[in-house]
Amino acid sequence: MKKLFFALCAVLTLVSCNQQKPYTITGTFDIPDSLNLGDTVIAREPLDGTYVYMLELNGEAIDSALVQNETFAFSGNVKADEAFFAYIACDYAYGIIAIEPGDYCMTIGEEVLAYGSPTNDAINDIDAKVTELEQGIGERLQAAVENAGGYPGDSIMMPFYLEFNDRYEALIDSVYQKNTKNLVGVYVVNILTSGAQSLDELESMLEEYDEYIANSPLMDARRQYYIENESDIR
């Protein structure tokens, strides 16, 4: 009887993990009525009647949403334990967000931002902390330049750059250590390996990270990019 009970629990757990759960992403725009293209200012074309696209990391279409009253929406189903990254693209923007169960929002402007879901909110928090770090050190750096009446020399400037680099890497690494098996971890490792100049260099960097991240679709897309553009990168 006890074995039967545990077997039943295992089946129920498997069914629960594989259950599809719905998501709805409501989108709006933060795009000005006029756009600067170099020295030229042009009026933005009407958004209504255009489409916003959700794309797989290889560029294949997943879904499209018609823009009406400058809003749009995506809906579908995803397994709770299989959230994924997807590109969002329209005439004015292109960016990546996490697709996971729940009802949440998206804004398309200078960036594509999703908020109101656990993964996207965590990513936004990371970006906000990096921005705060950049601004804080940037203000101190600017003060050093002003006090010197111009460029103060490498001996004064370099410590600021080194401090930013050390604190930035510590921040990103601390996030990774808490998220070794989810999309937040994938996101930060993508940042940490962004300097790779070849497939071999990327693979070498990924050796120190969890297999979940190293074998994630985002890293596979990176691998494919290096394969297809190896001659251009070199």
Side-chain angles (χ1 to χ4, degrees), residues 76-141:
N77 295 286
V78 62
K79 293 179 182 177
D81 59 343
E82 292 186 3
F84 61 94
F85 282 123
Y87 285 115
I88 302 297
C90 68
D91 291 342
Y92 294 98
Y94 188 82
I96 192 171
I97 68 169
I99 309 300
E100 56 191 340
D103 297 328
Y104 44 105
C105 302
M106 179 196 317
T107 299
I108 295 179
E110 291 185 3
E111 299 178 274
V112 176
L113 297 175
Y115 47 94
S117 74
T119 299
N120 289 300
D121 286 348
I123 289 173
N124 294 339
D125 182 61
I126 295 166
D127 291 342
K129 288 178 179 177
V130 171
T131 298
E132 182 180 4
L133 176 60
E134 289 177 338
Q135 291 177 343
I137 293 181
E139 289 172 359
R140 289 165 48 207
L141 180 59

Side-chain angles (χ1 to χ4, degrees), residues 194-202 221-234:
S194 61
Q197 296 298 307
S198 67
L199 178 59
D200 288 344
E201 187 175 357
L202 175 64
R222 291 272 305 280
R223 291 183 176 96
Q224 190 60 36
Y225 172 82
Y226 286 118
I227 292 171
E228 294 176 355
N229 299 275
E230 185 174 4
S231 60
D232 294 335
I233 294 172
R234 289 180 178 177

